[in-house]
Amino acid sequence: MAMDFDGRTALITGAASGIGAAVARWLDERGIARLVLVDSDAAVLARLELRTPCRRVAGDVRDEQLWAELEASEPGLDHAVLNAGIADGCPIVSLDYADWRAMLSVNLDGMFLSLRAALRLMTRSGETRGRSAVLTSSAAGVKPVPMTAAYGSSKAAVAHLARVAAAEHAAQGIRVNAVAPGRVDTPIWTKNAHFQTMVDELGSRQAALDTLAQESTPLGRFASAEEMAGQIGFLLSDAAWNVTGTVLVSDGGNSL
């Protein structure tokens, strides 16, 4: 019963692929009554196959009007997985201010807007206990990693935002936590030019993943999106009723 989501509604951002899509499938398999899925890629979002009734919203998490419209049209919310984000990297001395702002705009401004909307919907009506949110931070927000000034700073701020929200809503029984993944086999890693070059040089996608994992992860492999979904699902569920304001670092030992 602690992992039963029957009768509940969940919001997922960055839902079209990677961890977001894996969480949608995880909740779909566990009886969630309704999903509200948000992603900037309308075509990929439309192809996500789920049995659960879904509202699919194609849009940018930085768009305040998108969240105003969702707040106005949704009757309430039980859970939120706020996962939308982008990644890139270069040395601080080479980082353009426009690129810095773009990264923080998606990863932090978009997180603030989506979290604010989710909390407003959770507190709109009915019993609030049992409601929960999980924000996707990163191991790069825990451990300083060269070439990640904008990304790591945005993700460190996301982790702190989750803790502030947890403190503000604990008395209502609304739990807010964050996860800080290390390297996960998702498009945020595998679509970049460096990874594609490694695939070409090593001859296969799996060889590139294994090489990167051996270089940076003491446990020796990338996590899968499905494994991350299970950890996020636990934090969402009633099984984690006593867990709030925490940042679950799931990075294969990268931050040790």
Side-chain angles (χ1 to χ4, degrees):
M1 291 297 294
M3 301 290 272
D4 182 6
F5 292 85
D6 184 52
R8 303 187 188 185
T9 297
L11 164 72
I12 304 172
T13 67
S17 62
I19 292 172
V23 172
R25 290 189 290 266
W26 191 93
L27 288 170
D28 183 53
E29 293 168 358
R30 285 159 182 80
I32 195 80
R34 185 168 175 269
L35 289 167
V36 180
L37 308 177
V38 178
D39 200 281
S40 60
D41 193 329
V44 177
L45 186 62
R47 292 197 295 269
L48 185 61
E49 295 184 4
L50 301 165
R51 296 166 298 178
T52 302
C54 297
R55 178 181 178 182
R56 301 174 196 239
V57 180
D60 191 325
V61 291
R62 297 171 293 181
D63 180 2
E64 190 170 8
Q65 185 60 33
L66 179 152
W67 295 111
E69 291 173 359
L70 269 178
E71 283 183 48
S73 57
E74 288 294 323
L77 193 66
D78 298 292
H79 305 289
V81 178
L82 306 179
N83 169 72
I86 59 174
D88 203 353
C90 73
I92 293 171
V93 295
S94 304
L95 181 59
D96 290 337
Y97 180 63
D99 293 334
W100 166 272
R101 280 302 318 145
M103 184 75 69
L104 268 68
S105 181
V106 175
N107 291 359
L108 186 54
D109 297 347
M111 184 65 75
F112 159 70
L113 290 170
S114 55
L115 177 61
R116 184 179 68 176
L119 291 170
R120 286 174 174 175
L121 287 168
M122 287 182 190
T123 56
R124 175 165 291 171
S125 62
E127 173 58 48
T128 56
R129 293 193 178 276
R131 295 180 177 176
S132 59
V134 178
L135 284 57
T136 301
S137 178
S138 171
V142 177
K143 175 183 178 178
V145 179
M147 310 281 284
T148 67
Y151 179 75
S153 296
S154 70
K155 291 300 189 176
V158 165
H160 195 67
L161 181 64
R163 290 190 289 262
V164 172
E168 290 182 352
H169 292 278
Q172 296 167 291
I174 296 173
R175 298 181 300 103
V176 184
N177 293 289
V179 291
R183 297 202 167 187
V184 183
D185 183 2
T186 65
I188 204 167
W189 281 101
T190 58
K191 281 188 175 181
N192 67 59
H194 175 63
F195 184 80
Q196 293 305 318
T197 298
M198 290 188 68
V199 172
D200 294 340
E201 291 174 349
L202 297 171
S204 73
R205 182 179 183 280
Q206 190 58 53
L209 288 172
D210 291 344
T211 298
L212 284 172
Q214 292 298 327
E215 289 175 354
S216 64
T217 306
L219 287 182
R221 70 173 179 87
F222 272 47
S224 69
E226 289 70 27
E227 288 169 330
M228 289 306 308
Q231 295 168 26
I232 290 168
F234 165 72
L235 290 174
L236 285 181
S237 75
D238 293 343
W241 71 268
N242 199 39
V243 182
T244 194
T246 194
V247 180
L248 174 61
V249 178
S250 179
D251 67 351
N254 174 265
S255 57
L256 292 173

